[in-house]
Amino acid sequence: MYSVRGRTAATAATADHAIFSIWNPHTTQRIKLLSVSMFAQSAAPAAGYSARFRRITARGTAGSTVTPGISNHSTRGVAPVSGVLLDLAAFSVQPTLDTVDTVLGYTFAAVQGSGIVLPIPGGLEIGPGAGVAFIQVPATASPTFEVAATWLEDWM
Amino acid sequence: MYSVRGVGTYTGVVPHAAFGLWNPHGSQLVKVKRIVLSEQSGASIGALSGFRRSSARGTPASTVTPDVSNDGKRGAAPPSGLLLDLGSYSVEPTLDADDIGPIHAQSGGTASGDADFFAHDYPGDGFYIPPGTGLCLVKLGTGTVIYEVSVTWSEDA
């Protein structure tokens, strides 16, 4: 099991902009996303600020990227075979979104430090050359978020 | 999830190995989930085999090297580089002193082709093979058996 964390910058005040994404660059390896967490750091989210997962088919250009290594492995065995990447807002080129949301979303309390730890029942498989992004619903700039994700590279 | 198969045998000496799983990686754990054995020939009453950990690989008769086709999702070759070494060995693996389960004993007829079948699932997270170690099926009784073996393991969960 692998886990990674990072801190986003604020997003622009545009609906459907990505806060962060998990991108699987491998040509054949699949991963299974087990959980994500995110907490507002710099300021309170605006009242009613919400976001949800949507699959992405192109990575876009992130503001910054975290590349997991061997230390991100729960047994410190190997770096993730997939080469999965945690991309963080603000994206200068937005990832290419699928047209339909997943059912996983959240509305944040308008309090600095509000957030969520979101386990994903059964996990969310991400195929090769694909990803998922947590995208904001309103045309409202976000605060910075501390984000973390947990996933599997192999499972029964 | 990965799986691999092969055919191995041991010499007429206790506790020589019929096959071994060898984890050559410097840090990756292998978690064995299932082992399936089938006696192909040489079955005899008294044929008894068990398992031991190994600390040196030895020199097998042949080796099966799993690749991306051995991945249940055809995603990637196993990152550990796990090897299925097949006996009989010209240089036996260095075995730990303790026999560990499961054991397998011939329970059916003794004619060649009476393929006694054995499947063992390891509970929980499976049986760990740490980096730079292995797991071998070894001879504990009489007779010389040729085994068809298949192994299923995980490299992460």
Side-chain angles (χ1 to χ4, degrees):
Chain A
M1 186 183 69
Y2 294 83
S3 59
V4 67
R5 67 148 292 277
R7 184 167 294 196
T8 75
T11 61
T14 307
D16 295 341
H17 267 205
I19 306 165
F20 71 91
S21 70
I22 306 293
W23 179 254
N24 176 11
H26 204 275
T27 56
T28 51
Q29 177 77 329
R30 305 180 69 83
I31 67 170
K32 181 180 281 191
L33 186 64
L34 298 179
S35 70
V36 297
S37 62
M38 53 191 300
F39 291 86
Q41 294 296 297
S42 58
Y49 182 85
S50 62
R52 74 290 192 197
F53 271 124
R54 196 179 282 193
R55 291 188 182 273
I56 59 176
T57 55
R59 186 182 168 199
T61 304
S64 62
T65 296
V66 181
T67 304
I70 190 173
S71 295
N72 298 90
H73 193 195
S74 60
T75 59
R76 205 183 183 284
V78 288
V81 171
S82 64
V84 72
L85 303 165
L86 174 62
D87 285 332
L88 304 165
F91 288 72
S92 56
V93 175
Q94 291 294 313
T96 302
L97 305 176
D98 271 6
T99 56
V100 180
D101 292 337
T102 74
V103 298
L104 299 169
Y106 185 68
T107 300
F108 293 83
V111 174
Q112 186 174 6
S114 68
I116 183 175
V117 177
L118 183 64
I120 302 171
L124 183 66
E125 288 197 27
I126 301 174
V132 291
F134 212 59
I135 59 175
Q136 61 192 22
V137 174
T140 305
S142 75
T144 64
F145 280 98
E146 179 77 15
V147 303
T150 302
W151 74 99
L152 295 172
E153 296 269 341
D154 184 29
W155 60 92
M156 298 293 289
Chain B
M1 181 192 73
Y2 298 87
S3 61
V4 67
R5 67 152 290 277
V7 178
T9 187
Y10 40 53
T11 68
V13 177
V14 175
H16 278 194
F19 70 85
L21 294 167
W22 181 253
N23 179 6
H25 204 273
S27 52
Q28 176 75 328
L29 278 169
V30 167
K31 302 177 185 181
V32 179
K33 302 290 190 175
R34 166 177 283 202
I35 291 181
V36 178
L37 301 176
S38 175
E39 292 180 349
Q40 295 301 294
S41 68
S44 63
I45 296 296
L48 177 67
S49 301
F51 287 88
R52 286 198 189 177
R53 291 189 181 274
S54 59
S55 56
R57 185 181 169 200
T59 305
S62 62
T63 297
V64 181
T65 305
D67 62 15
V68 64
S69 295
N70 297 90
D71 181 4
K73 301 169 188 62
R74 208 183 183 286
S80 66
L82 184 77
L83 302 167
L84 175 61
D85 288 330
L86 302 169
S88 55
Y89 288 70
S90 56
V91 176
E92 290 292 321
T94 302
L95 301 174
D96 283 4
D98 299 317
D99 296 325
I100 52 179
I103 58 172
H104 174 250
Q106 173 63 21
S107 59
T110 57
S112 290
D114 280 341
D116 204 30
F117 176 83
F118 166 100
H120 179 75
D121 288 329
Y122 290 95
D125 287 346
F127 188 91
Y128 282 28
I129 302 179
T133 70
L135 176 67
C136 297
L137 179 78
V138 300
K139 176 185 174 71
L140 297 179
T142 61
T144 301
V145 181
I146 298 175
Y147 283 106
E148 172 81 28
V149 57
S150 66
V151 182
T152 301
W153 76 97
S154 173
E155 299 255 349
D156 193 10

